Amino acid sequence: MTVTALRPQSHMTQQISHRQIGQEAILIEAKGLQLLANSLGENFNHAVDLIRSHSGRLVVSGIGKSGHVGRKIVATFASTGQPALFVHAAEAGHGDLGMIAKGDVLLLISYSGEAKELGSIIDYAHRFAIPIISITGRENCMLARVSTIALVLPDAPEACPMQLAPTTSTTLTMALGDALAVALLRDRGFSKHDFKIFHPGGSLGQQLKRVSDLMHSGEKLPLANPQTLMSDILVEMTVYGFGCVAVVNESGHLLGIITDGDLRRHMNPQLLEQRADEIMTRQPVTLSPDALMADALAMMESRSITNVFVVDDQNKVAGIIHIHDCLRHSVA
């Protein structure tokens, strides 16, 4: 039997250090940022002018990594004087489109420019003449074609050696969002005094806000009694725009909730003829009015839910909190 000895690795073939890999990744992204700076053209000017000329909010949406970057862009705009909010692309078609109004400007993010999840938002924008600014990596993609203004990222290699994980592209997207926000605040003459108005307590002060400070209450609450037909429940969900309804008794005590997920789970030909108490989820997750907003956000993210009803110590519905309320106030 012949035995072949393993050859020891030479110094040249040894694995490079983690530090060297990190430096290489940063340098790749830095070159991409330089390409981005050089690529800015008139469309960037037009985008800033478009946002400033509208009295509403900047509504940002994306899916996957683009969605994560979009949330950061929203926080930057909101903290520098531009009202902004994030609408999850997948939730938009299930009630969240009601958060987008005339006077708003949409900022849609998709590197491929072909994200199907953005379809409902795009259709809604065209229907109500809401302008779209897009950030994408392809000039001739679907998203660029349907946009009022398309901001196209330069063709820069990802720091990921397989060219698969979004690295350079997400860095460029975030930097482009920062560039828009900085250009806008300078155009408006946003000062240190203005900045203090939007940061009275810093990030800690925002985290210490109570649920009762930001919850929707009174006539803004989507409520129904147990005997309400599902045909009427669907109307309530649409009108109020939260994508859910609280089922309460005559005294206002919470019995259960009905969400979009409940509709899908109980889908059948007789659904619209069924009663709320036949469909509702009993003993839903709730919050106390005294709960910290930071804790509320953490709970919603951990459970992958977007709405939570607020109840008092007698289990009476006092309000509702949407995850966008947390993001809009930069609670993190």
Side-chain angles (χ1 to χ4, degrees):
M1 181 175 65
T2 303
V3 178
T4 304
L6 294 175
R7 295 182 180 179
Q9 282 189 320
S10 68
H11 176 73
M12 294 298 293
T13 59
Q14 289 180 358
Q15 185 179 15
I16 62 175
S17 71
H18 300 315
R19 179 180 63 86
Q20 289 173 303
I21 295 173
Q23 289 175 331
E24 181 180 290
I26 292 171
L27 289 174
I28 290 172
E29 295 194 7
K31 289 180 181 179
L33 287 170
Q34 186 63 59
L35 289 173
L36 175 64
N38 294 336
S39 73
L40 296 187
E42 281 304 304
N43 273 8
F44 183 85
N45 290 332
H46 296 328
V48 176
D49 291 339
L50 181 63
I51 297 171
R52 184 174 185 185
S53 65
H54 282 68
S55 59
R57 302 152 303 176
L58 181 68
V59 181
V60 182
S61 187
I63 198 75
K65 301 298 186 297
S66 295
H68 296 313
V69 173
R71 287 187 173 91
K72 188 274 176 186
I73 291 175
V74 163
T76 299
F77 272 99
S79 69
T80 53
Q82 169 60 48
L85 65 89
F86 181 83
V87 173
H88 193 286
E91 296 289 344
H94 300 285
D96 285 2
L97 285 174
M99 296 184 173
I100 308 170
K102 289 187 177 181
D104 292 343
V105 174
L106 280 166
L107 176 61
L108 304 184
I109 306 171
S110 170
Y111 186 73
S112 70
E114 304 294 341
K116 295 180 180 178
E117 292 85 353
L118 293 174
S120 60
I121 298 179
I122 293 170
D123 291 343
Y124 185 86
H126 287 182
R127 179 182 176 187
F128 293 101
I130 297 171
I132 298 174
I133 299 170
S134 61
I135 297 179
T136 183
R138 298 177 183 176
E139 188 173 2
N140 296 317
C141 64
M142 175 275 295
L143 182 56
R145 292 195 301 271
V146 301
S147 298
T148 310
I149 300 170
L151 301 176
V152 182
L153 300 175
D155 184 13
E158 301 284 7
C160 167
M162 298 175 291
Q163 296 298 296
L164 295 175
T167 46
T168 303
S169 57
T170 50
T171 297
L172 299 190
T173 302
M174 190 174 297
L176 185 52
D178 288 343
L180 288 168
V182 170
L184 188 63
L185 74 86
R186 291 187 63 173
D187 191 43
R188 287 174 167 164
F190 194 80
S191 66
K192 291 182 178 180
H193 174 72
D194 297 319
F195 193 84
K196 288 180 180 179
I197 293 175
F198 289 98
H199 299 76
S203 59
L204 180 60
Q206 293 301 322
Q207 292 181 45
L208 293 178
K209 282 185 177 293
R210 303 286 178 176
V211 166
S212 58
D213 295 329
L214 300 180
M215 70 183 186
H216 305 268
S217 59
E219 295 182 355
K220 298 179 180 179
L221 291 176
L223 306 176
N225 64 58
Q227 288 73 43
T228 304
L229 293 178
M230 287 304 300
S231 56
D232 294 325
I233 292 291
L234 288 176
V235 174
E236 291 285 303
M237 293 174 71
T238 303
V239 169
Y240 286 89
F242 289 105
C244 64
V245 170
V247 182
V248 298
N249 62 18
E250 294 180 356
S251 301
H253 294 93
L254 182 65
L255 303 176
I257 65 170
I258 298 175
T259 67
D260 176 69
D262 293 311
L263 297 181
R264 290 195 296 269
R265 284 188 290 272
H266 292 84
M267 188 62 65
N268 66 80
Q270 288 76 44
L271 175 64
L272 297 182
E273 300 172 8
Q274 291 182 270
R275 301 191 313 271
D277 58 359
E278 296 176 298
I279 303 298
M280 69 183 186
T281 295
R282 301 174 188 274
Q283 298 181 334
V285 175
T286 59
L287 285 168
S288 162
D290 294 327
L292 295 177
M293 284 302 301
D295 293 337
L297 176 60
M299 185 269 284
M300 284 188 276
E301 289 182 330
S302 67
R303 294 175 177 267
S304 298
I305 56 178
T306 57
N307 296 291
V308 181
F309 281 97
V310 183
V311 298
D312 61 18
D313 55 4
Q314 297 180 353
N315 202 40
K316 288 186 177 182
V317 177
I320 185 173
I321 280 288
H322 194 287
I323 195 169
H324 293 153
D325 299 319
C326 305
L327 302 175
R328 188 180 301 119
H329 291 272
S330 301
V331 177

